[in-house]
Amino acid sequence: MFHHILSSVNKNRKGIILILCSSFCTSLGQAFWKLFDHDQILFLILGFLLYGCGAILMILAFRFGSLSVLHPLLSMGYLFALFVGVFILGEVISYKEIIAIFIILIGVLFVGGGDH
């Protein structure tokens, strides 16, 4: 099983990197939207720029990998958003969320772990 996953990762490496960058950019863009206040339009602009970059990276990623492998990796955006919330917004995560992180990671491996 792990050989199959590693083979798929090697085959789709460029697409995987781009889709993970896409997920990170969109998560960070959403965090900037949350930070937006009427006085600081810069956060709103940065949020749109990051979200737009994320969309472009996602489109590019699909050119360099299998859809069945890359699309499940978009769920990594939930994990990135959780970490952005903790480290940038000062939010606190619970044990339920930590368990959810592992469930998402396992799901990504099973669903997106192969081309077949």
Side-chain angles (χ1 to χ4, degrees):
M1 177 178 163
F2 290 111
H3 174 67
H4 181 65
I5 291 172
L6 290 176
S7 173
S8 178
V9 168
N10 285 333
K11 179 181 174 188
N12 296 286
R13 181 184 319 268
K14 191 171 186 177
I16 289 170
I17 291 168
L18 289 170
I19 207 79
L20 291 175
C21 290
S22 168
S23 292
F24 182 74
C25 285
T26 56
S27 299
L28 197 56
Q30 291 168 0
F32 278 117
W33 289 340
K34 183 173 173 109
L35 291 171
F36 168 65
D37 193 7
H38 299 291
D39 303 358
Q40 300 175 351
I41 192 129
L42 181 63
F43 286 133
L44 182 66
I45 293 168
L46 283 173
F48 277 114
L49 288 174
L50 283 166
Y51 203 86
C53 285
I56 291 168
L57 288 170
M58 181 181 62
I59 292 166
L60 290 173
F62 289 140
R63 300 183 81 198
F64 295 105
S66 301
L67 182 65
S68 62
V69 172
L70 299 179
H71 201 275
L73 290 174
L74 287 173
S75 65
M76 294 297 289
Y78 296 112
L79 299 182
F80 292 141
L82 191 129
F83 290 122
V84 166
V86 169
F87 295 112
I88 294 178
L89 302 176
E91 297 176 354
V92 178
I93 60 172
S94 69
Y95 290 111
K96 290 179 186 177
E97 291 161 327
I98 292 171
I99 292 169
I101 289 170
F102 289 110
I103 292 171
I104 290 171
L105 288 173
I106 291 168
V108 166
L109 282 175
F110 279 123
V111 175
D115 291 314
H116 309 302

